[in-house]
Amino acid sequence: MFITNDIKYIGVNDHKIDLFEGQYVVPNGMAYNSYVILDEKVAVMDTVDQNFGDEWLANLEAVLEGRKPDYLIVQHMEFDHAANIANFMEKYPEATVVSNARAFKMMKQFFGTCFEDRQIVVDDGSTFSLGKHVLAFVFAPMVHWPEVMVTYDTTDKVLFAADGFGKFGALDVEEEWDCEARRYYIGIVGKYGMQVQNLLKKAATLDIQIICPLHGPVLTENLGHYLNLYDIWSSYGVESEGIVIAYTSVYGNTKKAVEKFAKKLEEKGCPKVVVNDLARCDMAEAIEDAFRYGKIVLATTTYNSGVFPFMHTFLNGLAERNYQKRTVGIIENGSWAPQAAKTIKNLLSECKELNYCENVVTINSALDEVSAAQLEALAEELCKEYK
Ligand code: FEO
């Protein structure tokens, strides 16, 4: 695939994968991107997943047209990109690895060698010439590992963005960018909003025409759209108006209350109501929705003096990703000692700027007149701004 006259795509599509990073379902597979810059010197940008070494090396051979690569530039040592470093170095004994000190330390851990006699160590802000193309390295720690750096080709104005601006899904499947990029970002990088903000500030000083991420499509148009979404996500801002209800239910009574509640929200003018059954939906999708919308309602049974296990997992998923700046409503259910509301607040105690609704719904086994009135009051409180 042609990116610019000198930059070619040599990545691969993975449709065999069951869970990306051992936990994320990827119904449309995954792409591991890699690029070649053909100049006086030839540089390869990252490798691919371990199952695709032969295909990747064949893709590389095809664009080299008999030339040999001079450099392998390693931006990220996670194994979906780094697995084939040793294979590459074996195949091209004249090549040199270009990366930073932290990455070389990890290389040694993964491969037992960091190619001491064939390495160039670069610093944050340093530049590297391939001839016509001058590359500038920008360290991006924790986007998404500590050794990550991105690379700006000052000649073609291309940002090689490592995991940044990546998404789930192979490149031979057409799908909307936002949804699977959001699920990818919130799931994988969501905790590191501050670090992404730092990177965006540096990126704002560059004239970027093309973004080449390590996953997902090469972005060539309307870059403001993607940059804006990354700004919202990394600052924990609200992307879409609406209310998301995340619930668990054992015998269906909490579910019935949630269905009634969702209808009320719609009737009261809420522009979008999203309902996620945490035991049955994709947990990563539910977490993504929590970050997308400004308001959330958590509905759950009391269980082992806490909350139902799927709700526990969900709340942990929010807290560990620095969930913040949201309005939170609670519907708790319990047949003898409801205490889900207390547990929810404890589990989210580290989250900043959560605004809990005054009205809490407490259901004793099934909705009755009292809890139905609480449900109405909570809906009213959440929807007053929509009137
Ligand atoms: Fe795509 Fe952090 O690896």
Side-chain angles (χ1 to χ4, degrees), residues 298-344:
L298 303 162
T300 187
T301 37
T302 301
Y303 191 84
N304 284 339
S305 306
V307 292
F308 203 63
F310 292 101
M311 178 60 77
H312 201 281
T313 302
F314 177 68
L315 296 172
N316 274 344
L318 298 186
E320 71 189 13
R321 288 171 178 78
N322 283 326
Y323 189 66
Q324 54 186 274
K325 300 182 189 165
R326 296 295 187 272
T327 298
V328 183
I330 297 175
I331 299 172
E332 63 176 357
N333 194 349
S335 292
W336 65 95
Q339 48 188 304
K342 190 173 119 207
T343 310
I344 285 171

Side-chain angles (χ1 to χ4, degrees), residues 87-358:
N87 289 339
F88 175 93
M89 295 302 276
E90 193 183 327
K91 177 156 185 194
Y92 298 108
E94 321 268 284
T96 301
V97 196
V98 178
S99 195
N100 59 64
R102 271 185 151 154
F104 280 118
K105 187 163 176 269
M106 290 182 185
M107 216 174 288
K108 176 108 180 167
Q109 291 167 191
F110 277 118
F111 297 108
T113 174
C114 55
F115 310 96
E116 285 86 346
D117 52 346
R118 297 165 62 194
Q119 62 164 234
I120 294 174
V121 184
V122 298
D123 284 322
D124 187 19
S126 62
T127 56
F128 191 76
S129 175
L130 301 176
K132 191 171 76 168
H133 292 255
V134 177
L135 307 179
F137 300 113
V138 178
F139 286 13
M142 301 322 295
V143 187
H144 122 255
W145 277 18
E147 84 298 356
V148 169
M149 63 183 194
V150 301
T151 306
Y152 179 61
D153 180 338
T154 58
T155 311
D156 282 357
K157 310 210 179 307
V158 173
L159 180 69
F160 296 94
D163 276 338
F165 301 95
K167 69 180 270 297
F168 296 126
L171 297 191
D172 52 3
V173 180
E174 282 278 327
E175 67 179 351
E176 189 215 11
W177 188 88
D178 295 9
C179 189
E180 282 299 73
R182 188 191 304 106
R183 190 167 70 94
Y184 172 89
Y185 173 86
I186 300 295
I188 290 172
V189 196
K191 178 182 175 65
Y192 303 108
M194 195 176 71
Q195 290 83 351
V196 175
Q197 281 280 303
N198 290 339
L199 181 59
L200 289 177
K201 281 187 193 111
K202 289 182 190 172
T205 66
L206 306 172
D207 174 13
I208 299 168
Q209 301 292 324
I210 297 174
I211 297 176
C212 290
L214 287 177
H215 303 287
V218 173
L219 305 175
T220 56
E221 287 176 347
N222 201 10
L223 297 191
H225 171 76
Y226 308 106
L227 288 160
N228 179 48
L229 284 177
Y230 256 63
D231 188 35
I232 293 170
W233 298 341
S234 58
S235 60
Y236 304 95
V238 174
E239 180 189 342
S240 305
E241 273 298 321
I243 300 173
V244 56
I245 307 171
Y247 79 95
T248 61
S249 189
V250 186
Y251 294 109
N253 288 304
T254 309
K255 181 178 181 179
K256 262 188 213 153
V258 162
E259 285 168 350
K260 193 167 178 179
F261 187 67
K263 204 152 166 263
K264 273 182 192 296
L265 296 177
E266 277 162 5
E267 284 164 5
K268 290 178 190 297
C270 178
K272 176 85 182 168
V273 179
V274 178
V275 179
N276 286 322
D277 173 352
L278 297 178
R280 292 173 180 82
C281 71
D282 169 25
M283 189 61 78
E285 190 88 33
I287 290 172
E288 172 201 342
D289 282 338
F291 281 83
R292 176 175 181 178
Y293 296 96
K295 298 178 185 178
I296 191 165
V297 174
L298 303 162
T300 187
T301 37
T302 301
Y303 191 84
N304 284 339
S305 306
V307 292
F308 203 63
F310 292 101
M311 178 60 77
H312 201 281
T313 302
F314 177 68
L315 296 172
N316 274 344
L318 298 186
E320 71 189 13
R321 288 171 178 78
N322 283 326
Y323 189 66
Q324 54 186 274
K325 300 182 189 165
R326 296 295 187 272
T327 298
V328 183
I330 297 175
I331 299 172
E332 63 176 357
N333 194 349
S335 292
W336 65 95
Q339 48 188 304
K342 190 173 119 207
T343 310
I344 285 171
K345 286 185 180 173
N346 278 342
L347 289 169
L348 296 179
S349 61
E350 300 286 306
C351 300
K352 288 182 262 172
E353 295 179 59
L354 293 187
N355 172 28
Y356 286 96
C357 293
E358 272 175 33

Side-chain angles (χ1 to χ4, degrees), residues 20-21 76 78 80-81 144 163 184 215:
F20 180 66
E21 289 192 354
H76 183 15
E78 194 168 9
D80 49 337
H81 313 293
H144 122 255
D163 276 338
Y184 172 89
H215 303 287

